[in-house]
Amino acid sequence: SSSALLQHFADPLAAMEADGDKAKKAHKKRQGGLKAKKKQEAKQGKVERHNPKAHTFSGGAKSVAKRVRYSLEKASKKEHAPRVDKNPDVPPPFVVVVQGPPGVGKTTLIHSLVKHYARQKLLNMRGPVTLVSGRARRVTIVECSQDMKTMLDLAKIADLVLLLVDASFGFELETFEFINVLQVHGFPRIIGVLTHLDGFRDNKQLRKVKKTMKHRFWSECFDGAKMFYFSGLQYGRYHRLEVQNLARFIAVQKCPILSWRQSHPYVLGLRWEDHTDPSLPETAPRRLDVYGYVYGGRLREGMQAHLAGVGDFHIAQLKRLTDPCPTPDAVEAERDKAKIDAGQGDGKAQRKNKNALRSLAERHRVIYAPGSDIGSITVDSEAMYINVSEHEVGFTKKDGEAGGEGSELPEAVRMVRALQSGEASLDRVAASRPSLRLTRGSTVRLAEGGTGANGEGDAEPRRRRPAPAMGSDSIGADAGSDGEEEEGDESAEEDADGDADDDGDITGAEEGADDGEDSDAAHRRGVMERARGRFENKPRLEQAIYGRPSTASSSTKRRPSGKAKAADRDGAAVLGKEASGGPTDHNTVPLFDDDDEDDEELAGGEDADGRRDNGGLLGNLGDLDGLDTARMPKLPGGDLPWDDERKEALKTRKFITGGWSSAEEDEDGEPRAAAANAAGAEGEEGEGGDDEGQSGVGGEGGGSSSSAAPAKASAAASMDPVEAFSDSMPIATFVRVRLEDVPAACVAEMDRGRLLVLGGLLPGEASMGLVQVRVKRHRWHPKLLKSNDALLLSVGWRRYQTVPTFSLEDRGEKRMRFLKYTLEHAHCTMTMYGPMVPPNAGVMAFRSWKKVDHFRIAATGGVLESAPNFNIVKKLKLVGEPYKIFRNTAFVKNMFNSDLEVAKYAHSKIQTVSGIRGEIKKADGTKGCFRATFEDRILMSDLVVCKCWVNVEPKQFYHPVVDVAQWRPARLIGELRAANGVPVPNEKDSQYGKQFVRPERKFNPLKIPKTLEASLPFKSKPKNDSKKKKNALRQKAAVVPTENERAVNSLLNRLYTVRKEKHRIRQASSTKKKATKEKREKFIQDKREAVSKEAKKKRYVKQGQQEGQRRKAMRLD
């Protein structure tokens, strides 16, 4: 065998050929089983039925009941209105809230998710983090702190909650509190995450802990709630596969459809900026800009919104910005469009596979975390820093490096170092061109280098280029008239200053001087053609809605005369800076495309202050001394024709759902788009551009408010009316919301990591009134809640403190009865004063925000209704005593204090304790006594009671919660008593459970005269013989028994004791025998009843069959 083995390894080919000659084992066919049976039946020709159970017994009564239940459930589902998801195809980012006690691993989990999605390292997290998680899905991850205010705000906007639990410690109180908050405010999707599982070394104990935690989590949420288990850390993060499983589960979670969020638009502030004028004092109201995505519904400009922890504000300005975290579909669409514009595509080619974006490319992994440090970027309160590692620094020369430029350096590094070491180019240009300016129209010039203050280096004055002629156009005529009227002033100013103007500056004096040159005429014609093409008038909004007005009136409105413009300029010179127009809005379009074509610039004259008048054609350019505005190649909507369908869509959008917004109408009801644009532009004055590069910023305008109005109107008319008057933003739009008059103390307390929730308010939610809530004290809260004791509430978007009044519905909804305390384990009604809230809104009550050793949530419930007033009554019992009785009439005292009170209660119903009813008639004297009549004669010992109901007015106390350190809540009654040393009052009427106890009544003995007793029959004679009185001598005499009598008495006592013991034993034995007998008889009786029951069933079945046969024979069925 060993030789054969050696030969096998020595010559493997030969061994394989030898093995191939052997016969292989034949396949053994199956002789039994379902497969063999089917094959055998197929050979015999048996055809298998498609559904063997189709023609069998249907199941009888159970099957019928099942079908009935199914049909009823189907019908009941049709009765409920289906919930409609209002989110578009590309929804806003999915809000994921990570919550857990301190040290459980929240930040580590967020770092792991960011690394999984964005492939970047999150150094320090402050505020929300938005990133791309799928082809059409984005995720906003927010970390929830242990502050109850933050927990409340996040529970109202969360789409998914990751509840982290430390497995080595167990569930903590904050976790249960947050679950209860979620249940009241909508209960979104929830996932549990167990961490610190690496501390368990025994697998059996680990499995037991997992099972226990899972079932405890299910009991709090719902059976089947998903739970993930994180075993340990790897490179400072959780294991990649565990994070990947969690991320995949997050990716398939659907957004919950909650009624409150579907009816209220809201914005989760990803970033905020304070754009208040720096010249104002620090205590002045601030102008706050909040950046974020729109959720829930359309957000409208001018609507009222609540900023959590700050207060209610009107949205002063709403602006759409570029999405900082676009979806991969949007990125690819932009790339395809760019290729088509570049001529690399014909526009017909489409993506071959719709599912081509199954995985995210590097260009798709976008992350937007404005307040966090990501990768090498660090954000401070004042600046942003880019940290480059020492081995990556190549452009800057290192310390100790040789000064020569070695050939081994890359070309880019050599060029940058040459620029760093070279002479400043701007200084050389300034020396060669003394009149050089940084921007067109700027009044600040560069330093003139080698020229001194005396102007020795000045060359001959540069000749200004002529202004373009306007021809026969009315605009050109206006500009010419302006130049002629201000020619003298301009020349005088030039002689006095002696400064050379910019190459592109044009004045009215030079326009008149060089009007006859042929080249200038050609230049003017070209400029006018381009101006006409760009400022071609589109149909105005009122024309699109109400039809085209008369030609004379429209031309008069659009083109004011030159004299009117001159008068406006004179007014502007008088008013100065206060009358200057604001900067332009983001829809401003410059006249020219190229920045270098300075010679094609148009201008009016200059006013007394040296500012340029930008009226007429250049009225929409704003201040040329300010920063450059956003430039557009064409006006929005300019390519679309104004057909009937577009006009009808405009009517439907602006008039069917409420008409013009308050920001677009003045007191006369006319649209004032120019005033709205000017007001919005004033807010952007002196403000840097947005991070997204969308907010245009300009300086002060050249003309007065009256002269700027026609220019603003022409600019508004030139743009698309739908875009010009847009006052709402749809869901999933990244917007900038501007709030005015925000308290400075609130803004000072804000930091970049603070969460801002801006919730929209419906029109009725701004008014104050009484709100009725159905509440129940939380079973874990240790104390009952007391009426007229302050409570902190979370209702809707708001958090405030109020004084509630508890009541209970009594006697078939006839009245609401006042309660001093909440019920122990039942619901009651709470009436409070505050903002109106729609029904079914969740309400949470707290006694204090502070961390305590017990459950902080005091009560939970939902809003029933809101109204200006509710009728709550309190029971009052007035007790009196009769002091005179005349048959059915009695005089009662001690119930009232004066005759006025008696007159007020005249004809009221009264009743004695024994049940005799009566009525108050009239006062008797002035001390509160009165006369009353009863249905029967009462006794002097009876108490007279008057049952009343007194109205209880709820306390109108509203104290909104402001998230600043100086805010203090109203103290509770117990805290006030403890601080002032006041004991708890103990009033007799306020003692619960102690009823009025009447003393036992003693009746006099019945005395029957002797003569009457003698004549009575024996059965009627009194039988209670009175005890014989002992005489005095017998009372004093002492009875001393003899020795024999004592022995007899002792013997009798012993015999009596023995007799009692025998009787007790006999009684116990009898009871035991009786119980045994009853048990045996019960067993026999149960057997008999079971047999009898079966017999009855058989008899009834037989009778039913006989009855069915009889009816069938009689053809009744």
Side-chain angles (χ1 to χ4, degrees):
S1 61
S2 60
S3 61
L5 186 62
L6 290 173
Q7 185 182 2
H8 178 80
F9 283 102
D11 193 2
L13 293 176
M16 290 176 63
E17 291 175 359
D19 292 339
D21 296 336
K22 294 180 182 180
K24 294 182 178 179
K25 185 179 179 181
H27 174 68
K28 187 178 180 180
K29 294 184 178 180
R30 193 178 184 87
Q31 301 298 328
L34 187 60
K35 244 180 158 180
K37 185 180 179 181
K38 285 184 178 180
K39 289 182 179 180
Q40 190 176 1
E41 289 178 353
K43 287 181 181 179
Q44 294 175 2
K46 289 187 178 180
V47 180
E48 182 183 1
R49 289 173 133 186
H50 294 292
N51 188 1
K53 296 183 179 180
H55 303 287
T56 59
F57 184 60
S58 64
K62 290 185 179 179
S63 179
V64 172
K66 253 186 204 177
R67 288 198 298 269
V68 170
R69 279 200 304 269
Y70 176 74
S71 60
L72 290 176
E73 287 176 1
K74 203 172 180 182
S76 65
K77 286 180 181 178
K78 292 181 179 179
E79 293 175 358
H80 294 82
R83 291 185 175 182
V84 181
D85 189 4
K86 297 167 64 176
N87 289 327
D89 296 335
V90 180
F94 194 72
V95 180
V96 179
V97 175
V98 182
Q99 195 274 342
V104 77
K106 300 187 293 295
T107 307
T108 307
L109 178 59
I110 295 175
H111 288 187
S112 304
L113 289 174
V114 170
K115 184 68 175 177
H116 172 78
Y117 283 122
R119 300 289 192 269
Q120 295 190 33
K121 186 176 181 181
L122 188 63
L123 301 178
N124 186 17
M125 180 181 177
R126 290 187 301 271
V129 176
T130 304
L131 42 82
V132 175
S133 63
R135 185 171 56 182
R137 190 180 179 91
R138 294 160 294 181
V139 173
T140 297
I141 305 175
V142 187
E143 182 178 349
C144 181
S145 63
Q146 300 308 303
D147 185 17
M148 181 57 72
K149 304 169 188 177
T150 307
M151 293 165 65
L152 289 170
D153 293 339
L154 283 177
K156 299 170 186 177
I157 62 170
D159 296 326
L160 173 66
V161 176
L162 300 180
L163 276 179
L164 271 67
V165 181
D166 188 352
S168 62
F169 187 83
F171 287 94
E172 299 189 33
L173 202 58
E174 291 85 357
T175 304
F176 293 122
E177 287 176 343
F178 191 64
I179 291 176
N180 278 267
V181 171
L182 293 174
Q183 290 172 344
V184 172
H185 288 301
F187 206 58
R189 316 291 180 185
I190 185 169
I191 296 176
V193 179
L194 276 183
T195 60
H196 295 79
L197 292 175
D198 51 347
F200 297 94
R201 300 303 178 188
D202 187 9
N203 288 334
K204 186 176 181 181
Q205 185 185 5
L206 178 61
R207 288 195 302 269
K208 186 177 180 181
V209 168
K210 284 183 179 179
K211 185 177 180 181
T212 305
M213 292 284 187
K214 181 178 68 173
H215 286 285
R216 186 67 183 90
F217 185 65
W218 286 5
S219 64
E220 283 300 317
C221 302
F222 56 88
D223 288 346
K226 189 65 178 174
M227 204 163 197
F228 286 87
Y229 309 101
F230 283 5
S231 57
L233 297 180
Q234 185 181 21
Y235 307 119
R237 297 183 297 271
Y238 292 112
H239 291 290
R240 184 180 60 84
L241 290 179
E242 295 173 349
V243 176
Q244 185 178 0
N245 292 335
L246 177 61
R248 286 178 177 175
F249 205 86
I250 293 174
V252 298
Q253 288 293 310
K254 294 183 179 179
C255 185
I257 303 176
L258 305 177
S259 58
W260 175 268
R261 302 186 196 179
Q262 291 286 308
S263 58
H264 293 77
Y266 60 96
V267 174
L268 170 60
L270 304 180
R271 182 168 66 91
W272 61 269
E273 297 291 342
D274 183 9
H275 287 304
T276 313
D277 188 359
S279 61
L280 295 176
E282 294 182 357
T283 58
R286 319 305 290 173
R287 175 185 296 160
L288 192 68
D289 288 353
V290 181
Y291 300 83
Y293 292 91
V294 179
Y295 293 84
R298 296 186 73 92
L299 193 65
R300 301 185 180 276
E301 186 175 325
M303 75 179 298
Q304 198 164 9
H306 179 80
L307 189 60
V310 181
D312 296 349
F313 303 95
H314 285 280
I315 297 178
Q317 188 179 1
L318 193 62
K319 184 176 180 181
R320 181 198 298 264
L321 303 179
T322 304
D323 195 342
C325 190
T327 58
D329 287 342
V331 173
E332 293 302 321
E334 289 293 333
R335 285 169 58 87
D336 295 344
K337 184 179 178 182
K339 288 181 181 179
I340 294 173
D341 294 342
Q344 300 178 6
D346 54 354
K348 298 180 181 180
Q350 297 180 356
R351 197 173 299 278
K352 296 181 180 180
N353 187 8
K354 292 183 179 180
N355 294 328
L357 293 174
R358 294 186 65 88
S359 62
L360 296 178
E362 287 301 324
R363 63 177 178 272
H364 300 150
R365 299 184 184 275
V366 184
I367 181 171
Y368 180 65
S372 304
D373 302 340
I374 305 171
S376 59
I377 300 176
T378 304
V379 180
D380 198 355
S381 60
E382 298 179 353
M384 177 184 293
Y385 307 95
I386 301 177
N387 304 321
V388 183
S389 302
E390 194 67 28
H391 62 85
E392 295 179 359
V393 176
F395 294 105
T396 305
K397 188 180 298 184
K398 300 179 182 179
D399 296 338
E401 189 176 354
E405 297 181 2
S407 59
E408 67 276 1
L409 294 177
E411 183 181 0
V413 176
R414 292 199 304 269
M415 294 175 65
V416 172
R417 290 191 179 183
L419 289 175
Q420 290 175 351
S421 61
E423 186 182 357
S425 301
L426 197 58
D427 295 340
R428 294 198 303 266
V429 174
S432 61
R433 301 178 62 184
S435 60
L436 180 64
R437 299 183 182 183
L438 290 177
T439 57
R440 290 186 301 168
S442 175
T443 58
V444 180
R445 296 175 175 81
L446 294 174
E448 296 186 355
T451 61
N454 300 330
E456 296 176 356
D458 293 344
E460 61 177 295
R462 299 172 59 89
R463 187 177 63 85
R464 298 194 179 189
R465 296 188 180 180
M470 300 302 177
S472 59
D473 198 336
S474 61
I475 300 178
D478 295 341
S481 61
D482 295 345
E484 291 174 1
E485 290 173 4
E486 297 188 359
E487 180 179 355
D489 298 338
E490 293 292 334
S491 59
E493 290 181 4
E494 288 180 9
D495 295 340
D497 297 337
D499 294 336
D501 204 348
D502 185 31
D503 295 341
D505 288 346
I506 304 169
T507 59
E510 291 169 346
E511 179 184 353
D514 301 323
D515 207 6
E517 298 182 7
D518 296 339
S519 60
D520 296 336
H523 174 70
R524 288 193 294 271
R525 284 195 300 271
V527 170
M528 287 307 303
E529 289 297 330
R530 298 185 65 181
R532 287 194 188 96
R534 183 164 300 279
F535 291 93
E536 182 180 3
N537 288 329
K538 294 291 189 295
R540 303 186 65 180
L541 185 62
E542 50 265 35
Q543 296 175 5
I545 297 174
Y546 301 106
R548 186 176 296 276
S550 61
T551 307
S553 61
S554 62
S555 62
T556 305
K557 290 180 181 178
R558 285 196 305 269
R559 299 180 180 179
S561 62
K563 294 181 180 180
K565 288 187 176 182
D568 292 342
R569 280 193 302 275
D570 295 339
V574 174
L575 293 175
K577 294 184 178 180
E578 296 178 358
S580 62
T584 58
D585 56 2
H586 65 284
N587 287 329
T588 299
V589 180
L591 182 59
F592 305 105
D593 293 333
D594 299 328
D595 295 338
D596 298 333
E597 297 179 358
D598 296 337
D599 55 338
E600 296 178 358
E601 182 179 359
L602 298 177
E606 294 187 3
D607 57 8
D609 294 337
R611 293 192 305 271
R612 300 239 304 258
D613 185 6
N614 295 329
L617 188 59
L618 295 181
N620 71 327
L621 287 181
D623 185 11
L624 298 181
D625 294 337
L627 298 177
D628 193 12
T629 56
R631 296 175 178 267
M632 297 184 183
K634 59 179 68 175
L635 293 176
D639 299 337
L640 300 176
W642 274 99
D643 51 3
D644 296 338
E645 182 179 357
R646 192 177 181 194
K647 295 176 183 178
E648 289 297 329
L650 182 63
K651 292 179 185 178
T652 304
R653 181 173 176 222
K654 298 305 295 183
F655 290 96
I656 299 302
T657 59
W660 304 98
S661 65
S662 59
E664 295 169 0
E665 287 186 357
D666 54 9
E667 297 179 357
D668 299 335
E670 298 178 356
R672 51 183 183 94
N677 292 337
E682 288 176 1
E684 296 185 4
E685 183 177 349
E687 172 189 343
D690 296 331
D691 291 350
E692 291 76 18
Q694 291 293 321
S695 60
V697 182
E700 297 180 353
S704 63
S705 58
S706 58
S707 63
K712 291 289 183 181
S714 63
S718 63
M719 66 179 66
D720 183 36
V722 177
E723 297 294 334
F725 291 95
S726 176
D727 62 346
S728 65
M729 295 298 169
I731 303 175
T733 308
F734 189 79
V735 297
R736 184 198 68 189
V737 183
R738 173 159 292 178
L739 304 177
E740 300 284 354
D741 298 333
V742 181
C746 298
V747 179
E749 292 284 339
M750 293 182 184
D751 57 355
R752 297 299 169 187
R754 173 175 175 183
L755 182 76
L756 292 183
V757 177
L758 183 69
L761 300 176
L762 300 182
E765 296 179 12
S767 57
M768 304 292 289
L770 294 179
V771 182
Q772 268 196 352
V773 185
R774 186 172 182 263
V775 297
K776 181 182 179 183
R777 182 188 69 89
H778 201 281
R779 64 187 185 278
W780 292 344
H781 195 264
K783 294 184 178 181
L784 294 176
L785 303 181
K786 186 178 180 181
S787 291
N788 299 330
D789 201 3
L791 277 182
L792 292 164
L793 299 180
S794 171
V795 186
W797 302 121
R798 295 184 173 95
R799 305 190 307 265
Y800 57 90
Q801 191 180 32
T802 185
V803 175
T805 302
F806 297 104
S807 58
L808 187 65
E809 216 167 17
D810 192 19
R811 294 185 181 260
E813 302 182 5
K814 284 186 178 180
R815 63 177 68 91
M816 297 298 297
R817 185 161 55 90
F818 172 80
L819 292 177
K820 189 174 182 181
Y821 298 97
T822 55
L823 302 177
E824 186 73 27
H825 301 294
H827 287 82
C828 63
T829 304
M830 179 177 70
T831 306
M832 60 190 183
Y833 179 77
M836 298 287 193
V837 186
N840 299 326
V843 177
M844 298 202 75
F846 303 84
R847 289 172 64 89
S848 175
W849 302 124
K850 300 176 182 178
K851 277 198 171 185
V852 290
D853 56 352
H854 57 77
F855 206 68
R856 284 182 287 182
I857 300 175
T860 58
V863 176
L864 295 176
E865 59 177 327
S866 302
N869 189 21
F870 288 104
N871 188 23
I872 302 175
V873 293
K874 181 180 180 180
K875 185 185 292 185
L876 177 64
K877 284 187 178 181
L878 303 176
V879 182
E881 302 171 0
Y883 64 94
K884 287 183 184 178
I885 298 175
F886 300 100
R887 294 187 181 178
N888 292 358
T889 302
F891 290 87
V892 184
K893 63 179 180 178
N894 296 336
M895 183 178 289
F896 303 108
N897 296 321
S898 65
D899 55 345
L900 293 177
E901 294 181 6
V902 176
K904 184 178 180 181
Y905 282 84
H907 304 290
S908 297
K909 304 298 181 185
I910 56 178
Q911 187 178 4
T912 63
V913 177
S914 58
I916 302 175
R917 294 170 296 183
E919 182 183 2
I920 298 175
K921 288 297 184 181
K922 193 176 182 182
D924 183 23
T926 59
K927 294 184 179 181
C929 302
F930 62 91
R931 178 172 58 88
T933 59
F934 294 89
E935 58 185 1
D936 198 359
R937 181 185 176 92
I938 66 173
L939 301 177
M940 291 291 291
S941 59
D942 280 334
L943 294 177
V944 182
V945 179
C946 180
K947 298 179 180 180
C948 309
W949 296 98
V950 181
N951 288 332
V952 178
E953 294 293 335
K955 301 288 190 300
Q956 294 192 0
F957 176 75
Y958 175 71
H959 186 29
V961 177
V962 182
D963 294 342
V964 294
Q966 294 81 10
W967 186 83
R968 293 288 183 272
R971 288 188 290 179
L972 305 179
I973 296 177
E975 295 174 353
L976 291 173
R977 285 174 180 161
N980 299 325
V982 179
V984 179
N986 186 16
E987 298 180 2
K988 184 179 178 182
D989 295 338
S990 299
Q991 292 178 355
Y992 279 76
K994 293 185 178 180
Q995 304 296 333
F996 182 79
V997 180
R998 298 182 64 189
E1000 186 179 355
R1001 192 171 181 182
K1002 295 182 179 180
F1003 295 95
N1004 297 327
L1006 181 63
K1007 295 180 180 181
I1008 302 174
K1010 295 289 184 180
T1011 55
L1012 180 60
E1013 184 179 356
S1015 62
L1016 288 175
F1018 178 76
K1019 63 179 181 179
S1020 300
K1021 288 183 180 181
K1023 305 295 189 303
N1024 48 351
D1025 295 335
S1026 59
K1027 296 181 180 179
K1028 295 181 180 180
K1029 295 182 179 180
K1030 298 179 180 180
N1031 53 17
L1033 182 61
R1034 189 172 180 83
Q1035 289 178 357
K1036 294 179 181 179
V1039 179
V1040 179
T1042 63
E1043 188 70 26
N1044 187 25
E1045 289 176 346
R1046 285 198 297 268
V1048 171
N1049 291 336
S1050 175
L1051 177 61
L1052 290 176
N1053 289 335
R1054 289 196 298 270
L1055 291 175
Y1056 181 70
T1057 304
V1058 171
R1059 182 184 176 188
K1060 279 179 59 177
E1061 184 66 19
K1062 286 183 178 181
H1063 179 71
R1064 187 189 64 78
I1065 295 173
R1066 195 182 300 115
Q1067 190 75 18
S1069 177
S1070 175
T1071 305
K1072 187 176 180 180
K1073 289 180 181 179
K1074 188 176 180 181
T1076 307
K1077 184 180 178 181
E1078 288 179 355
K1079 186 177 181 181
R1080 185 172 61 253
E1081 289 181 354
K1082 184 178 183 302
F1083 176 75
I1084 297 172
Q1085 186 65 25
D1086 291 344
K1087 289 288 186 182
R1088 288 175 180 171
E1089 288 179 357
V1091 173
S1092 176
K1093 190 175 182 180
E1094 290 296 329
K1096 284 182 181 180
K1097 281 185 180 180
K1098 292 180 181 179
R1099 186 169 71 251
Y1100 292 156
V1101 170
K1102 190 174 181 180
Q1103 288 179 1
Q1105 291 175 354
Q1106 291 177 356
E1107 181 68 19
Q1109 292 175 1
R1110 186 182 64 81
R1111 295 178 65 86
K1112 188 175 181 181
M1114 297 177 64
R1115 299 179 184 273
L1116 294 177
D1117 292 339

